[in-house]
């Protein structure tokens, strides 16, 4: 069985696959100080609950936080007796090389989203991932990642307002009833919600103009749902996109010698 690990700046998601069959997924807060032993205590308890005692013999990792990779490597070596495949490292091949400026270190999560989006929808798509940052990944007709957009994430924007403006409280993101807020909380919610709707619409419009062709928009990340209610922003929402991409990349790399 395969263990896929997607480490974002906020959360780390684990999922287990038996061939092409999805078995289970679990999520923990990202913390670069967590040791391999701590990961395993947590993971083995959840695996046991799921009736998985052993059988993991491959691990693939995508991490936007470089510092956690060391302990995830130790986890794979010590407890699953394998060398993990790490997205973004030379030993992890991609079906098509990214076409970006030389020396650019593309976020591995974005490369994985690109692979998954291309597998499900073909090329000429934009993948929007609502994570710590909101990323737009543009996929060319041949499946290559050709660049995109990085914007501050929704919760990050809310936290920044609270952190930098003495009189602004912490507010949770939600769709406000009206655009004109009549109290501070409603004003902040409106700014972030409608601001984000405008951001997504504007960025997608601009990318389509630049590419001069129709492009489907695929959304992923926990907050995708919030921005889809009643709006025509996305052609599809796929919460499992990154995990699907990790499994595909693992299978793709099986065909190459280590
Ligand atoms: N369903 C949801 N509702 C509200 N907030 C969410 C939901 N899912 C994720 N979040 C929040 O969105 C932000 C990004 O989460 P996540 O997608 O896990 O980011 P990353 O991949 O960067 O670690 C976090 O602040 C998280 O708490
Ligand atoms: C843009 C990101 C911070 C998004 O990370 P996330 O929100 O998933 O934690 C990450 O993909 C990253 O660090 N990228 C490196 C620069 C780039 O992709 O061009
Ligand atoms: K992510």
């Amino acid at each position: 069985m395969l263990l896929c690990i997607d480490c974002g700046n906020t959360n780390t998601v684990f999922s287990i696959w038996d061939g092409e069959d999805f078995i289970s997924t679990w999520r923990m807060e990202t913390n670069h100080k967590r040791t391999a032993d701590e990961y395993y205590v947590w993971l083995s308890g959840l695996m046991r609950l799921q009736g998985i005692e052993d059988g993991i013999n491959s691990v693939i990792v995508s991490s936007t936080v470089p510092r956690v990779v060391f302990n995830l490597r130790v986890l794979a070596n010590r407890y699953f007796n394998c060398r993990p495949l790490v997205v973004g490292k030379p030993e992890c091949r991609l079906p098509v090389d990214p076409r970006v400026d030389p020396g650019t270190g593309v976020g591995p999560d974005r490369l994985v989203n690109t692979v998954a989006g291309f597998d499900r929808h073909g090329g000429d798509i934009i993948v929007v991932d609502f994570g710590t940052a909101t990323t737009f990944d543009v996929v060319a007709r041949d499946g290559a990642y050709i660049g995109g957009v990085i914007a501050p994430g929704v919760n990050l924007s809310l936290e920044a307002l609270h952190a930098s403006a003495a009189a602004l409280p912490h507010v949770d993101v939600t769709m406000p009833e009206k655009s004109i807020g009549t109290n501070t909380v409603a004003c902040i919610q409106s700014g972030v919600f409608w601001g984000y709707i405008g951001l997504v619409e504007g960025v997608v419009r601009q990318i389509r103009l630049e590419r001069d062709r129709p492009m489907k928009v695929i959304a992923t990340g926990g907050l995708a749902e919030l921005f889809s209610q009643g709006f025509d922003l996305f052609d599809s929402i796929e919460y499992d996109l990154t995990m699907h991409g990790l499994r595909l990349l693992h299978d793709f790399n099986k065909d190459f010698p280590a």
Side-chain angles (χ1 to χ4, degrees):
M1 283 190 291
L2 168 68
L3 172 65
C4 297
I5 307 175
D6 166 33
C7 176
N9 283 287
T10 306
N11 289 306
T12 303
V13 186
F14 295 74
S15 73
I16 293 183
W17 297 75
D18 190 358
E20 292 185 12
D21 296 329
F22 166 81
I23 306 291
S24 206
T25 186
W26 305 291
R27 179 179 282 257
M28 66 156 50
E29 186 187 348
T30 297
N31 173 1
H32 73 270
K33 291 185 184 156
R34 194 170 282 119
T35 67
D37 306 324
E38 288 173 311
Y39 281 117
Y40 187 68
V41 167
W42 176 82
L43 199 57
S44 59
L46 289 167
M47 282 167 55
R48 214 171 302 117
L49 276 177
Q50 193 71 33
I52 309 167
E53 292 300 328
D54 51 23
I56 291 178
N57 49 19
S58 316
V59 177
I60 181 165
V61 174
S62 157
S63 180
T64 58
V65 184
R67 282 202 285 187
V68 303
V69 175
F70 173 77
N71 283 322
L72 291 174
R73 279 187 192 278
V74 177
L75 172 75
N77 287 324
R78 184 175 299 163
Y79 292 103
F80 303 116
N81 207 17
C82 64
R83 259 173 67 109
L85 196 59
V86 180
V87 181
K89 300 288 176 202
E91 75 273 11
C92 181
R93 297 177 198 226
L94 298 169
V96 193
D97 285 331
R99 292 196 282 278
V100 291
D101 298 347
T104 298
V106 181
D109 55 331
R110 309 179 71 190
L111 297 173
V112 174
N113 284 346
T114 306
V115 169
F118 182 67
D119 177 69
R120 286 188 172 159
H121 303 276
D124 285 335
I125 58 168
I126 303 166
V127 180
V128 190
D129 190 335
F130 292 90
T132 309
T134 298
T135 48
F136 296 71
D137 313 321
V138 181
V139 184
R141 189 166 299 164
D142 64 350
Y145 167 81
I146 56 163
V149 170
I150 301 173
V154 180
N155 284 306
L156 201 57
S157 310
L158 286 163
E159 279 164 28
L161 270 181
H162 173 52
S164 305
L168 298 190
H170 173 78
V171 171
D172 287 327
V173 61
T174 180
M175 179 176 165
E177 283 171 21
K178 298 178 294 181
S179 59
I180 304 172
T182 47
N183 58 65
T184 309
V185 168
C187 287
I188 297 173
Q189 282 170 336
S190 182
V192 170
F193 183 84
W194 293 111
Y196 243 82
I197 294 281
L199 182 144
V200 174
E201 278 175 348
V203 166
V204 167
R205 187 184 327 116
Q206 210 54 41
I207 291 173
R208 282 183 175 141
L209 265 176
E210 239 167 76
R211 297 289 291 163
D212 195 20
R213 66 192 72 185
M215 301 183 84
K216 274 195 192 168
V217 182
I218 316 304
T220 189
L223 291 170
E225 183 81 40
L226 177 69
F227 295 103
S228 71
Q229 325 167 28
F231 303 94
D232 207 13
L233 298 180
F234 314 127
D235 293 282
S236 145
I237 300 181
E238 293 163 29
Y239 297 107
D240 66 339
L241 198 69
T242 312
M243 285 303 164
H244 178 64
L246 280 173
R247 185 187 64 74
L248 289 173
L249 268 182
H250 165 266
D251 292 354
F252 178 75
N253 277 274
K254 269 198 309 211
D255 301 334
F256 297 103

